[in-house]
Amino acid sequence: MSSEAFPAAPRIAVCIGRFQPVTRRHLFLIEAALAAYDRVIVLCAGAAQPRDPANAWSSAQRLAMLAACVPDPRCRVLEVADCWYEDGRWAARVEALVADAC
């Protein structure tokens, strides 16, 4: 059988950050991923955290900033909650979000 009989799976990039706020460097990274991959999943960390001096924007505000800055339909912006001192739990949460988005 030829390789044309089985289409290649889409190539997907995952970008994770707090985006406090969204910067030009963040946008450069996301745009580079969009140029190199079929789809990009952007995970905004720190979901459901209250605003404080270190985290000046709510997760809803950061999601809105990202959506406004990256209107490409191949880019999906999601939020992921922190799991302080539980790296395995956080990694499992990220894997589940990515699997659901795919």
Side-chain angles (χ1 to χ4, degrees), residues 24-98:
R24 289 181 189 163
R25 289 182 184 208
H26 293 136
L27 296 177
F28 178 80
L29 172 71
I30 294 167
E31 289 168 3
L34 283 166
Y37 291 86
D38 300 324
R39 291 189 289 176
V40 176
I41 299 168
V42 177
L43 296 180
C44 190
Q49 293 292 322
R51 291 173 56 178
D52 62 25
N55 299 295
W57 288 274
S58 69
S59 59
Q61 290 171 317
R62 293 180 285 139
L63 290 174
M65 280 189 266
L66 284 163
C69 291
V70 187
D72 192 312
R74 297 175 300 134
C75 182
R76 184 151 182 213
V77 181
L78 305 169
E79 58 185 357
V80 60
D82 292 332
C83 297
W84 294 104
Y85 309 110
E86 297 183 54
D87 295 343
R89 185 173 166 213
W90 184 82
R93 197 174 275 182
V94 167
E95 287 176 6
L97 281 169
V98 171

